[in-house]
Structure formats: structure tokens, C-alpha cells
Amino acid sequence: MAQLSGQPVVILPEGGTQRYVGRDAQRLNILAARIIAETVRTTLGPKGMDKMLVDSLGDIVVTNDGATILDKIDLQHPAAKMMVEVAKTQDKEAGDGTTTAVVIAGELLRKAEELLDQNIHPSIIIKGYALAAEKAQEILDEIAIKVDPDDEETLLKIAATSITGKNAESHKELLAKLAVEAVKQVAEKKDGKYLVDLDNIKFEKKAGEGVEESELVRGVVIDKEVVHPRMPKRVENAKIALINEALEVKKTETDAKINITSPDQLMSFLEQEEKMLKDMVDHIAQTGANVVFVQKGIDDLAQHYLAKYGIMAVRRVKKSDMEKLAKATGAKIVTNVKDLTPPEDLGYAEVVEERKLAGENMIFVEGCKNPKAVTILIRGGTEHVIDEVERALEDAVKVVKDVMEDGAVLPAGGAPEIELAIRLDEYAKQVGGKEALAIENFAEALKIIPKTLAENAGLDTVEMLVKVISEHKNRGGLGIGIDVFAGEPADMLERGIIAPLRVTKQAIKSASEAAIMILRIDDVIAAKPSKNEGNQGGGMPGGMGGMDMGM
């Protein structure tokens, strides 16, 4: 409220708004973001711990995947939500390194706070951070190792590194193999470069058996069953028709009434309906199709006729599954049965079979000639195990895709972050001025990754960092990182611990942009939540969905 010529001017509603200005706003935002980083920090690396997340319905998720943890936590603080965006962007762009990105962002803000306490203006810190982030991208491109996208051994190492540390680690060889085979199968080469659309890899989960029973199906697995008991349950050398209209008698578009005055008329009316259905099925049979997937319904009578012809039919198949079937079998999706023309509209598979898995029927379409859509069938003892295996596989296929598309990798285990820290320190001396302080702090913040890897493995953090930094400085060991299993510095490249270049580049890009955005904020004006929202966090920015921020 302001006073003007004795007249009060109301700007913000009294008691309905909280406002934090200047240093207070920065302090609270930085604190919220750091709490998020601290929450996921213990999950980083092969020896990282898991989080158990329980939602309001009592559903449990046990994971150490950064993106999943942040997605499931109910947050209220706006700065905390910005950190979740960092993880989401990282997951979308690179597929792995979500925890890394969030931890770096949190540490950049902690280091920025030290500079703010020394009365250095946020604009100077922002400029220094922007320079450092740009230079870091250049250095990473320089130290990256070019690899052949067709080199299966490298791809397997990449996939295994991304799975290490997750619950599924005990089966990492099998899962890495499944991920590499799946990505290679759906990859398409254009102008000498690979393009991979991960929508063409389907994950189908079924509880039962062990994780080692998981398999790659070179085709599509559909969670449906054959519509009629008299239809064949297995068809070899399948000729497949994909129809996205209903095999039913069409209803009129407008409201219509038919007056029937005699039993003969009723009979001819019913016979006509029957004839229309029979004509549809006759046409399908004449094309030579012996398996039909329909996106909509199939009339009982049509099912009967299809069964008489010995045609296997499946109804109400999801649109996404229809598209995958088209890519896998080479069939074309037709809207009208009459438009179905052999052989160009029909797809091929060696076997289409209904199988019972964990008490439920599923349709397997296998042995397609050159499928551009595949399915990874995930098995496991419990739902929680299967979900964690799926998350591990999702990360693995994404990192394999990154390497096939970019053809560049980096050593993992904190090696690139140490190298960046050393080179950015030298760069700070060249830049000079107050910005140099921000660049030095940026370099120092990057050391949080090797530091956390050592910490989570129960190693002496200071001793490990000193050893690794001296290896980089004195021996020029670019690939020297922390081997958390052996508890010593080691050449990550020799040990096959590698990650895609895209993961580290994106993590630093996302983290620095988020930190800069939070540092720019000097005023937080927040309306109080309406009563019906049941504000469990205690307003803004004091609370965070059940996470006490100690304010």
C-alpha cells in the first residue's frame, strides 16, 4: 500500500499476498533449490542409495532415478519446481544424467551464495557463470572421444555404465544387450548418419519369472487376446491386415427411423445386415490375409465368419500399437475393408501366436523381415522390480541412441568434471576481473560430482579428489576418474566406464541455465493458495509438499 496526497493506493491485497524482496528472495530460492539437489544427491553413482516414495494413495515407488524421484515428489516451492524442470529436460534430451544435472545446479547456487555474501552483484555472477558454461561446452567437445556408431562393444559399455548403480545392475549384461539390439534394429541411416526414434521400441511388462527371462521380440507384443475361441491360436507365415474401422454394420450418421410392417421385411433387413458383414469378411479372406488386427470392434457374426475361414483376429488394438505393427510387419493401415488390396497392403511375420504369460493372454508377432519397431518384454519377480528394470532400460536405450547419433563419448566416474574444473580455473585467470571469481566458483562447483561419487561409496572424499586432480594435472590423464568399486583413481576408458558426450554437455547446460535463472530473481510475490487447495506446505515459499525447508 502506498500513500499519495493523503489517499491510500492499494497495490497488493492486504494479508492475501506474501512478498520477499532482494537478498531474502535470493536466499529462499537458493535454499529451496539446494534442498532438492541434496534430496537426490545420495542416489548418484554406482553406490548410490534408493528412495522409497509413497503417494497419497499408498502406492510405492522404489528407485534411484533422479527424474522419477523428482517427478513423484509433491512440491510447492516455485524454485524447487524449476529444479524439477532441469531433470525433465535432461531426461528428454539425453536420457541419463538427471541426478548429475540437478546436483550441479544445486552446487552452482551454493557457490553463488558465497559470492553474494561477499557483496558481489548477481549480474556479475550471472555473467561469469554464462562464460564458464560456454567455455565448458567447448572443452567437452575438445576432450570427447570419437567412436564408430556401429561398434557394438562400445555401445554395450555405454549401456552397462548407465545401468550400473540401479536396482537392475545384477542383470546389466543382459539388459545392455537388449538395449543395444533394440536400438540398432530401429535405427535408420540417412545421409551417412543414424536417426533413432525411440517410439519404435515398446516396453511390455509382465510380472512372473525372473529378470533373466526378459527378451527382445523382433516384432510387436500386444496385451490382447484372440476374439473367438474357434480361431487359430498360432499362425505361421502370417499375412497381416491392419484395419482401423470397425468390422460391424455401420450406423447412420443422422437419426433415422425404419418402419417395418411385416416379418418378411424384418427378415430381409436382418439378412442384409448379415450379408454386409459376410461381404466384409469374404473380402478379407480373398486378399489372402490370415491375421487381422482391428483398431475398433468386431461384430459377433463377423467373428464367426472369420473363425470359419481360419483367420486369427484381434480387436480394439491401440492406435500406437497399430502404428508399431505397421512398422514391424510392413503392413499398411487401411480405413475401409474394401480398400484392402494384396499384396502391398498386407504385412508379413513368421509367427503370430497367442501365449499365456503370468495368467494373461498376449499376442506375439515375431520373425518380421526387417522390423522398424521392436518390443522388449520385461519380466521380474514383483511389479516394483519390473518398474525399476523398465527405468534402467529406458536410460540404456536413450544413451545408446545418443552415441549412435553423435558418435562421441567421454570417460565417466567424474573424469570430465575434474578436467573441466582444472581448465576453467586457467580460463578464469585469462578473463580476469570480478567475473573470474564466478568462473572459479563454477569450476569448484563441478567437483561436486566426483566428490559425491566418493562420498556415496564411503571413500575419503578429500584424499580421492587430491589424487584424481594430481593425475589430471601432472600426468595429463584425461580419463582418470574414481573407480568406486576398487576405491581408487583409475582410467575409466580402460575399465570401459564411459558415457555419451551429450549427457555431460546437456547436464552442464541445463544446470547453469537453471542456476542463472534463479539468481536473476530478486522479488517473489506470491498469492496465498485458496482454502480449498488444502495448503499442506504452509504457503509460499516456506513449505514444499511435506518437505520441511527449515525456515
Side-chain angles (χ1 to χ4, degrees):
M1 194 161 71
Q3 196 84 7
L4 185 69
S5 310
Q7 193 71 26
V9 181
V10 177
I11 307 290
L12 295 169
E14 290 279 332
T17 311
Q18 282 180 299
R19 185 173 181 188
Y20 296 86
V21 185
R23 191 70 188 88
D24 272 351
Q26 284 163 345
R27 188 179 66 80
L28 291 170
N29 282 337
I30 289 172
L31 179 59
R34 279 181 54 199
I35 285 173
I36 292 296
E38 286 299 320
T39 303
V40 295
R41 200 180 142 195
T42 56
T43 69
L44 186 72
K47 296 282 184 96
M49 304 300 278
D50 290 357
K51 305 279 177 199
M52 179 186 275
L53 310 168
V54 187
D55 68 13
S56 54
L57 299 172
D59 289 338
I60 299 166
V61 174
V62 178
T63 183
N64 65 2
D65 181 65
T68 307
I69 293 166
L70 296 179
D71 187 43
K72 300 282 181 192
I73 300 177
D74 179 22
L75 300 174
Q76 288 197 338
H77 197 292
K81 287 178 180 174
M82 287 162 80
M83 294 293 272
V84 176
E85 290 303 314
V86 172
K88 284 183 178 170
T89 306
Q90 181 71 20
D91 195 39
K92 211 178 288 175
E93 291 295 318
D96 200 8
T98 47
T99 308
T100 303
V102 173
V103 168
I104 291 174
E107 191 65 8
L108 286 172
L109 287 167
R110 191 175 78 82
K111 288 289 176 189
E113 193 161 33
E114 289 175 10
L115 294 175
L116 290 171
D117 289 342
Q118 293 168 34
N119 290 325
I120 291 173
H121 196 275
S123 296
I124 291 166
I125 303 171
I126 287 163
K127 191 181 174 192
Y129 273 14
L131 286 168
E134 201 177 312
K135 185 68 176 173
Q137 299 291 322
E138 286 173 29
I139 296 166
L140 287 171
D141 281 328
E142 196 185 307
I143 64 174
I145 300 142
K146 295 288 172 211
V147 294
D148 179 3
D150 290 318
D151 179 4
E152 199 160 311
E153 195 183 330
T154 303
L155 297 178
L156 284 167
K157 284 177 186 171
I158 287 277
T161 303
S162 86
I163 294 167
T164 305
K166 294 186 167 66
N167 278 341
E169 187 184 346
S170 52
H171 300 94
K172 71 177 178 185
E173 282 80 13
L174 167 70
L175 299 179
K177 193 165 178 288
L178 292 178
V180 171
E181 282 180 13
V183 175
K184 287 191 86 168
Q185 187 60 59
V186 301
E188 294 182 34
K189 212 168 191 177
K190 282 186 184 166
D191 307 325
K193 284 197 164 184
Y194 280 107
L195 288 174
V196 181
D197 183 355
L198 293 182
D199 286 343
N200 295 331
I201 299 174
K202 183 185 180 191
F203 295 103
E204 196 64 67
K205 303 180 289 186
K206 267 287 170 272
E209 302 285 347
V211 177
E212 63 279 359
E213 298 301 318
S214 301
E215 60 175 313
L216 176 72
V217 177
R218 291 180 189 278
V220 183
V221 178
I222 295 172
D223 200 353
K224 295 280 174 191
E225 56 188 6
V226 173
V227 292
H228 196 281
R230 283 182 54 208
M231 284 178 180
K233 296 286 189 278
R234 177 185 171 92
V235 175
E236 293 184 12
N237 293 325
K239 293 186 180 68
I240 298 165
L242 303 179
I243 303 165
N244 76 352
E245 75 160 347
L247 295 187
E248 294 167 348
V249 175
K250 284 192 176 70
K251 306 286 184 284
T252 54
E253 291 292 325
T254 52
D255 288 338
K257 191 158 73 172
I258 299 167
N259 284 327
I260 293 172
T261 54
S262 72
D264 292 346
Q265 283 178 317
L266 180 60
M267 284 306 292
S268 61
F269 181 77
L270 293 172
E271 279 167 13
Q272 184 58 30
E273 279 201 344
E274 204 172 304
K275 184 176 181 301
M276 286 164 73
L277 289 168
K278 190 169 190 314
D279 287 349
M280 274 185 185
V281 175
D282 285 347
H283 183 77
I284 292 169
Q286 280 161 20
T287 62
N290 51 14
V291 177
V292 180
F293 290 96
V294 180
Q295 198 173 318
K296 295 171 185 168
I298 303 176
D299 189 282
D300 288 354
L301 199 56
Q303 292 177 25
H304 164 73
Y305 288 133
L306 286 163
K308 280 190 84 170
Y309 278 118
I311 296 171
M312 181 197 278
V314 182
R315 66 178 165 186
R316 309 211 184 282
V317 180
K318 284 190 296 193
K319 185 171 185 257
S320 58
D321 283 346
M322 291 290 277
E323 286 165 2
K324 287 185 179 73
L325 280 165
K327 282 179 179 157
T329 65
K332 289 191 177 73
I333 301 172
V334 295
T335 306
N336 193 323
V337 171
K338 288 177 186 144
D339 295 340
L340 194 63
T341 51
E344 63 269 17
D345 288 348
L346 298 182
Y348 173 81
E350 281 175 18
V351 177
V352 177
E353 185 179 17
E354 180 184 278
R355 293 181 201 156
K356 211 174 197 77
L357 288 184
E360 287 180 35
N361 289 328
M362 300 181 86
I363 305 287
F364 282 70
V365 181
E366 289 182 293
C368 306
K369 279 174 185 163
N370 183 24
K372 286 298 163 199
V374 296
T375 304
I376 297 178
L377 181 65
I378 303 168
R379 306 302 305 273
T382 68
E383 289 293 339
H384 296 128
V385 170
I386 292 173
D387 289 343
E388 192 65 350
V389 171
E390 183 186 25
R391 283 188 279 270
L393 272 169
E394 278 175 357
D395 284 359
V397 295
K398 283 173 183 169
V399 294
V400 173
K401 166 193 187 291
D402 293 345
V403 175
M404 284 191 78
E405 289 182 346
D406 301 343
V409 298
L410 287 168
E417 287 82 7
I418 292 287
E419 188 64 26
L420 279 175
I422 293 165
R423 295 204 190 186
L424 286 174
D425 259 342
E426 291 164 8
Y427 175 62
K429 293 183 183 80
Q430 295 166 26
V431 172
K434 283 184 180 176
E435 284 86 356
L437 287 172
I439 296 170
E440 281 170 9
N441 275 27
F442 190 103
E444 195 61 34
L446 292 176
K447 292 178 187 171
I448 189 69
I449 298 301
K451 206 182 281 183
T452 304
L453 287 173
E455 211 172 276
N456 290 348
L459 304 172
D460 185 320
T461 318
V462 177
E463 186 190 345
M464 288 311 288
L465 267 182
V466 168
K467 282 181 180 173
V468 175
I469 291 169
S470 99
E471 289 275 355
H472 276 257
K473 278 185 174 172
N474 305 331
R475 301 189 195 177
L478 275 180
I480 302 294
I482 298 170
D483 184 335
V484 294
F485 297 106
E488 61 184 20
D491 191 325
M492 298 287 109
L493 297 169
E494 276 179 17
R495 305 211 172 173
I497 303 168
I498 49 178
L501 169 65
R502 193 187 295 185
V503 168
T504 309
K505 281 184 80 171
Q506 185 62 46
I508 289 168
K509 197 183 288 180
S510 305
S512 55
E513 283 173 4
I516 286 168
M517 186 176 275
I518 288 170
L519 287 171
R520 278 186 195 281
I521 300 165
D522 75 338
D523 199 343
V524 178
I525 305 162
K528 279 197 173 174
S530 57
K531 285 174 186 173
N532 59 2
E533 278 180 29
N535 177 24
Q536 72 213 55
M540 205 305 299
M544 221 176 58
M547 293 179 73
D548 181 16
M549 292 184 34
M551 282 185 266

